[in-house]
Amino acid sequence: MIQKIDHIGIAVKSLDDVLRFYEDALGIKCKGTEVVDEQHVKTAFLPLGDSEIELLESTSEDGPIAKFIEKNGEGIQHIALRVDDIEGALEEMKGKEIRLIDEKPRMGAGGARIAFLHPKSTHGVLLELCERK
Ligand code: ZN
């Protein structure tokens, strides 16, 4: 069911500042950016081998990324696991009594369909299930 780590989501204050670090210091190139209004984020994708680093900057003061940074500072916000069938995966999680943040998939960046599992059920990690066609 779960195929690989699709991406690691990192909350940042300023995409421009942080991209300078990833591109100039680490030499990892940004493939593009996208605003996802529904989640109040601007995202930058940095493919790395078979996975990606996803940098997330909040586009509003009370969006989930702004709240995360307020509480924890910049850092890893979520880990996304690639699944081939997100509805099936959510059904399976429900059957195993895993707490879901999203009962139904929603649209994420890059045309992915995503759903989050609650950190209370995952030993402290915000896990995203992510299906890409
Ligand atoms: Zn993500």
Side-chain angles (χ1 to χ4, degrees):
M1 181 189 75
I2 290 171
Q3 299 170 328
K4 62 170 191 168
I5 293 180
D6 186 86
H7 61 270
I8 296 175
I10 300 177
V12 306
K13 288 180 185 163
S14 158
L15 275 187
D16 289 341
D17 290 352
V18 179
L19 275 175
R20 218 168 295 139
F21 168 70
Y22 277 89
E23 294 199 305
D24 297 347
L26 297 182
I28 305 172
K29 290 292 163 230
C30 176
K31 179 178 85 175
T33 60
E34 182 182 340
V35 173
V36 183
D37 283 324
E38 193 193 336
Q39 291 177 63
H40 306 279
V41 291
K42 186 173 174 196
T43 305
F45 309 101
L46 296 93
L48 191 58
D50 203 26
S51 302
E52 286 185 354
I53 290 171
E54 186 181 281
L55 302 175
L56 304 155
E57 178 192 295
S58 190
T59 56
S60 78
E61 271 172 34
D62 57 353
I65 295 301
K67 282 184 190 153
F68 177 88
I69 289 175
E70 201 178 289
K71 202 170 151 197
N72 307 287
E74 291 182 307
I76 294 178
Q77 195 252 352
H78 68 271
I79 294 177
L81 303 173
R82 173 82 67 89
V83 296
D84 52 2
D85 167 17
I86 196 162
E87 273 92 2
L90 286 172
E91 275 309 307
E92 190 178 335
M93 293 298 122
K94 250 186 253 178
K96 292 176 177 171
E97 297 187 351
I98 306 296
R99 214 166 128 193
L100 307 176
I101 292 176
D102 302 299
E103 296 273 327
K104 292 204 170 88
R106 52 188 160 111
M107 291 308 292
R113 298 170 71 224
I114 66 169
F116 287 97
L117 309 182
H118 200 288
K120 286 235 159 73
S121 283
T122 62
H123 302 267
V125 180
L126 178 58
L127 285 178
E128 174 189 321
L129 301 178
C130 171
E131 178 196 287
R132 295 181 198 272
K133 288 290 176 212

